[in-house]
Amino acid sequence: MGLFDFFKKNKEENYIEIFSPLNGRVIDLSEVPDEAFAQKMIGDGCAIEPTEGSVYAIADAEIDIFDTNHAISFDLKSGLEMIVHFGIDTVKLDGQGFERLITPGNVKIGDEIVKYDLKYIIENAKSARTPVIISNMDEVAELKIVATGDVKVGDLLMKVKLK
């Protein structure tokens, strides 16, 4: 260990790690077929083209689940606020294709939150592409999308440094 390794380690510790909420392929927000997400009007981050399964907790946080179960908001102790929005125009499904597994409140990384029927969603919604976004970007100094290609639940997705 070199003299400066100590400083490098501390610098990395200032980042908040966000983990993949589902299995799929990481894509750029610009590939989401919704202008509000694609143009980062709601926030910045990335999206995932899902392949199967459920939505899991991206971090230790307090969550709220939208009534239609298509989106989950995460409030981290650090002050970071995030949203996992499963698919596009999925609010119009009125909860069909989604099964809530837990009640809103505190979760740990990797807790299963909502199960989804991918086939139903693909057939009945505009898209299954799932934005994972930071909704309070005004508090963010740096965002690093670290995952590329295929991801599994719990893989490191992004690192965020707050101001």
Side-chain angles (χ1 to χ4, degrees):
M1 182 166 154
L3 175 63
F4 295 104
D5 288 344
F6 173 76
F7 295 110
K8 289 179 190 172
K9 184 178 179 194
N10 283 343
K11 198 172 186 183
E12 280 299 306
E13 287 174 1
N14 291 331
Y15 285 89
I16 300 160
E17 295 182 329
I18 304 301
F19 298 88
S20 180
L22 37 90
N23 296 326
R25 182 177 57 88
V26 177
I27 59 174
D28 192 84
L29 279 177
S30 65
E31 296 180 53
V32 174
D34 180 285
E35 289 301 305
F37 290 114
Q39 294 185 9
K40 303 178 183 179
M41 293 177 201
I42 298 166
D44 201 352
C46 64
I48 299 174
E49 181 87 53
T51 54
E52 62 178 336
S54 299
V55 180
Y56 294 80
I58 58 176
D60 292 349
E62 184 174 334
I63 64 163
D64 194 14
I65 305 170
F66 288 49
D67 289 341
T68 52
N69 298 322
H70 77 286
I72 304 160
S73 64
F74 293 82
D75 290 321
L76 284 68
K77 286 183 180 133
S78 62
L80 190 65
E81 297 171 3
M82 299 193 65
I83 296 174
V84 174
H85 189 284
F86 194 94
I88 301 304
D89 289 347
T90 47
V91 68
K92 294 177 182 175
L93 300 178
D94 200 31
Q96 293 293 313
F98 296 97
E99 178 188 353
R100 185 181 298 205
L101 302 175
I102 63 173
T103 57
N106 291 313
V107 294
K108 297 283 185 197
I109 294 170
D111 285 353
E112 190 175 18
I113 301 171
V114 173
K115 194 175 282 194
Y116 57 86
D117 180 340
L118 185 58
K119 184 175 187 265
Y120 179 84
I121 291 164
I122 289 171
E123 291 172 357
N124 294 284
K126 185 174 183 178
S127 173
R129 291 181 174 181
T130 300
V132 180
I133 57 172
I134 299 165
S135 54
N136 63 336
M137 282 301 295
D138 55 324
E139 300 294 323
V140 175
E142 185 179 357
L143 167 62
K144 294 181 185 180
I145 308 298
V146 296
T148 57
D150 293 338
V151 290
K152 296 217 175 291
V153 169
D155 287 352
L156 184 60
L157 188 61
M158 61 181 84
K159 290 183 175 186
V160 181
K161 187 173 189 178
L162 296 178
K163 293 179 180 173

